[in-house]
Amino acid sequence: MNNAGKYEAFDITPPQPGIIPACPVSPDALIGIPRQQTNPCLWDGSEWRAFVSELASKEIHVDERNASRLLYVTDAGGMAYGRPGGVLIARSTKMVAEVMKAAQKYGVPVTVRGGGLTTEGETVAFGGLQLDMRGMSAVLEIDKEHLTVRCEAGIYWHSLAEALRRHGLDYLSAPLNMTSSVGGTLGVGGIDINSPRLGCSADQALAIKIVTPTGEILECSESENAWWFNRVLLGYGQFGVITEATLRIRHFTPLTMHYFYYGDLRTAMEDLVMLCDEDAADYAGILTMLDRAVNLLVAFDTDERERAFFTTWRKRLRGFGELGFAARTGLYYILRPWKYREALYLLERKRTLLPELRPAHHLSQGKIVDRTVVFSQAVWKFWGGRQMVIPDLATSREKFFEAVLRGNEVCKKYFPHYTLYCVGIKIVGPPERYELSCIPPDAKGIAYGCEFEPMLEGRTYSRDHLQSFKNEIYDIGVDIGTSYYRFGGMMKGYIRRVFGDTLVDTHLAMKRSVDPAMVLNRDVIF
Amino acid sequence: MKKLSRYDHTQPGAIDPAQCNGCGVCMLSCPVWHQHRTKALTYCGRNRAAIGGADEDDLAPSAAACILCGSCEPLCPMGIRTQQSTLALRRNLARRGLLPNPRVARDRKKPERAAASRLIIPGASLRDNGRIISAVLRVLGGEAKLHADDGSDLLLSLEAGGEVSDAQIQEYLAPLEGVPELIVADGLMFNLLYSALPSPKSMLPLGPALLRDPNVRAGIKSTDFYMIETRAYNAHRHAFVELYSRLRRETGCTTNLDLQRVATPTGASCMQHREGLKTIISIEEQVKWLLEGRRPARIVVEHPDDLEAFSRYTKLPVVHLAEVAKP
Ligand SMILES: Cc1cc2nc3c(=O)[nH]c(=O)nc-3n(C[C@H](O)[C@H](O)[C@H](O)COP(=O)(O)OP(=O)(O)OC[C@H]3O[C@@H](n4cnc5c(N)ncnc54)[C@H](O)[C@@H]3O)c2cc1C
Ligand code: SF4
Ligand code: SF4
């Protein structure tokens, strides 16, 4: 797997589009030393004017005002900075098709952005056109009988939920982040705490309308243009722009949530794996506060599932309820008074975070009514900042423990406080869909993922510090052979090391054949 | 009800981009976002552009587009006071002639001392609606009086980014000090008074004040669509959210609270609409969105401006909250 040795150390000449540059993380780099990040270089701008004029002749007006371009200088990660030459808010599939035709003709890079929640600069344009898909946010058709929705792909999951709820319906799974878009999520995967049952968000798509990199409009599903369907889903925007999607949906139900607390991460992980393997809960995930305060969250859509859990699985869980855990933890710290800071931190977390996860106005008869709103608000409030540093590893069941425990040690080196967020991801689609994606090639049945989320707590960290931390987490993936929820952008240098030349070159050849000028989301992967 | 938070319209500084993390959560309930899907026109867009290095002048179209509904305000995880920050930006822009400036309050008559134990500040739209005033006075009881000087000229000026001197504000506030209970019909006026009066003994927006009456609550039916006044509610959501959750639970009505428990506006009470200025918010579209997928038999509104908005764009009966009271 590890091909890094093949490359010369550090090459400063701008690579040609389509050539993955030499990995700047040299194979013999000392673990933890500050690393170079792999921001691509600025596009030279040739033919930009001709591109803009051609679009203008078709009544498509690129916004070149400074204030508009400045809106897009970074993504949620806040580590990569670039500026597009102009911005276009997508308003129709036809418009996107015209853009891609002109982009091919003039060789102008097009960087597609949904919510822009990438953290490695994948949605940051380094020159060229920024195509903001959120102008296409309509809900086109709700089919209550067959439980499907057709929507435009720029729509935020939250806006989709808002529209569906009026009809007593809900989406199946989406990132715990209200400002991610349907198209962006289908492009990268999308992990929810119900992913151990339902797979990733991309797996909820029954059909998509895409614009190919050469501007062709295609309707794709497992039965129509299936190659495109499985290339574009989880394809990091390399093979097409998703403009519409038909998704499976469900009847809305509030959910009941339970927390179990562990004094040990490995035990909690074992229990999570057991719950996922045995399909014991509708939602399951781990959130850590400290090594000795680990929270296993389970939730249920129906009372029957909840009852079944308490009859069959609760007794097998080794975690405690809130009171039992508080008593044990209290005793632990009473016997170790020198650890009072840790105890205070835990108390503070309990005081501030727990109420945010159960706000009265989002509860109805003890059940959580708007889980995404609750979680997303909490995520931004407690972990959010100008820089979102959330490296992750996605592994097979076998590698899950090593990956997380090693990552946990890395977190400790860099930050006083952090959270690990672990979930399972059921593999429900055909294998070709997951090639070169967040689903690791060696995972069978259920893959597991872990996000490592430092609490920046208003402190200022240097970019080098944050980047070194991320690299050290990503290095674990290279070392033991995992994948990542997010890759590309500044992680581009890792891709060959993780997936190997054969697979990457196969995809590069496919990319070249469908995107001859290599303009769509240039530098994200290719 | 929980303690209301202070609201300071006079805080300097147009926006505080340093605190914004760009999460975009504030856009989710923004009517401008809902209708245009153009980030540049939202509060988040203004902040992100400023962080990126845009000049204040570049933000003028966005500042003018905002209807100050406050829907963005309770959502910001960083606690940025978005409504007042937009007002401050408008002030800076208006000073340099970069915003259309409607009437500005001048030559105000010296207000009379208010002598009532319960004083209603009606705002322009309640002041002009005799039918609703009678209903409101009926519910609020004999001791309630309408304040002659509703200050709507000052408010309009503030909303437009106009200069209102401290002396003018102090002169307006002086007669109100010491009034045991103030009930304020306009949400923005409520926010202003709440922040400006030294220690309001009891101050409520009109909706929550009327809802104290059990006869009013009893008049709300499960088939009603209940339209909360957005500006006061959104600025003080933490104080009022439980009141409306209870109302929903007890009556079964639907409301204009979205999934984030933010009140969605019709846009009818914004300055642009009232003053006939150019606005990019279509009230018709807002009404359509508010009623999408809902089948109410009647609309109940707190703000008088919403009466007209719903009457114009639906065929449903529309009543003011004060009119639903069971005798
Ligand atoms: C605070 C925070 C919390 C998060 N929580 C989760 C979580 O719980 N689960 C999870 O899975 N992820 C999570 N993420 C990651 C992020 O939410 C996901 O990557 C998200 O799905 C991306 O959606 P987006 O609309 O922001 O896409 P973008 O970031 O805009 O785009 C993602 C990629 O897809 C491309 N793209 C965008 N739109 C299209 C389109 N229409 N067609 C083709 N390509 C397109 C872009 O070019 C880019 O390469 C989180 C991120 C943050 C910052
Ligand atoms: S006040 Fe209302 S219109 Fe203005 S930015 Fe906030 S949500 Fe949008
Ligand atoms: S919600 Fe607050 S932090 Fe987030 S984008 Fe809006 S202003 Fe910025």
Side-chain angles (χ1 to χ4, degrees), chain B residues 29-32 42-43 46 66-72:
Chain B
S29 296
C30 173
V32 175
T42 67
Y43 185 73
R46 296 195 274 287
C66 173
I67 61 167
L68 287 170
C69 63
S71 298
C72 45

Side-chain angles (χ1 to χ4, degrees), chain B residues 20-26 43-44 47 76-78 80:
Chain B
C20 171
N21 63 27
C23 66
V25 173
C26 57
Y43 185 73
C44 167
N47 263 2
C76 177
M78 307 307 288
I80 299 175

Side-chain angles (χ1 to χ4, degrees), chain B residues 197-276:
Chain B
L197 281 175
S199 61
K201 292 206 177 52
S202 167
M203 190 189 297
L204 280 176
L206 183 59
L210 293 170
L211 283 172
R212 288 181 305 187
D213 185 331
N215 293 329
V216 170
R217 292 200 303 276
I220 296 167
K221 303 179 202 152
S222 61
T223 48
D224 282 342
F225 177 78
Y226 185 101
M227 183 71 200
I228 300 164
E229 190 285 318
T230 62
R231 289 167 155 184
Y233 170 86
N234 287 331
H236 300 101
R237 183 184 66 157
H238 63 287
F240 295 122
V241 67
E242 193 38 46
L243 170 78
Y244 290 106
S245 299
R246 217 171 55 230
L247 183 74
R248 253 186 348 176
R249 274 197 307 274
E250 285 171 5
T251 67
C253 69
T254 44
T255 69
N256 59 327
L257 294 186
D258 65 11
L259 294 188
Q260 306 202 76
R261 304 296 179 269
V262 161
T264 309
T266 60
S269 53
C270 70
M271 162 196 75
Q272 294 92 322
H273 182 68
R274 275 190 278 118
E275 291 296 295

Side-chain angles (χ1 to χ4, degrees), chain B residues 89-159:
Chain B
L89 173 62
R90 281 204 181 155
R91 255 199 318 276
N92 292 353
L93 291 168
R95 218 171 269 151
R96 306 212 318 274
L98 293 167
L99 277 186
N101 213 347
R103 287 185 272 117
V104 174
R106 280 189 229 288
D107 307 326
R108 307 194 83 248
K109 274 202 239 122
K110 199 158 176 74
E112 286 162 28
R113 182 114 223 125
S117 57
R118 182 178 280 176
L119 195 66
I120 305 166
I121 316 274
S125 37
L126 181 60
R127 184 192 60 205
D128 298 340
N129 194 325
R131 189 190 92 204
I132 311 295
I133 289 179
S134 321
V136 166
L137 289 172
R138 234 184 354 260
V139 173
L140 292 178
E143 70 271 38
K145 289 221 161 55
L146 223 54
H147 190 37
D149 182 357
D150 64 21
S152 46
D153 54 340
L154 290 177
L155 193 67
L156 184 61
S157 192
L158 278 172
E159 199 173 343

Side-chain angles (χ1 to χ4, degrees), chain A residues 106 160 183 210 239 265-266 271 395 446 466 473 503 519 524:
Chain A
Y106 296 106
L160 181 62
I210 65 160
F239 294 95
L265 179 56
R266 177 180 276 276
D271 281 1
T395 78
I446 297 180
L466 300 176
I473 295 286
L503 186 63
V519 285
V524 169

Side-chain angles (χ1 to χ4, degrees), chain A residues 67 70-71 74 89 91 134-135 137 156 158-159 161-162 165-166 178-179 361-362 370 373 377 380 385-386, chain B residues 18 20-21 23-24 27-28 36-38 45 49 51-52 54 58 75 241 258-261 289-290 292-294:
Chain A
L70 289 171
L71 278 176
T74 190
I89 300 182
R91 301 288 179 189
R134 291 169 295 185
S137 287
Y156 284 143
H158 178 79
S159 308
E162 196 81 65
R165 191 70 73 78
R166 301 281 179 91
M178 297 182 284
T179 50
H361 52 277
H362 286 295
D370 311 287
V373 175
Q377 285 276 353
W380 282 108
R386 299 277 297 279
Chain B
C20 171
N21 63 27
C23 66
M27 286 200 299
L28 294 172
H36 296 274
R37 306 291 176 184
T38 303
I51 287 172
D58 296 331
L75 299 176
V241 67
D258 65 11
L259 294 188
Q260 306 202 76
R261 304 296 179 269
W289 167 237
L290 282 161
E292 160 113 27
R294 293 169 167 149

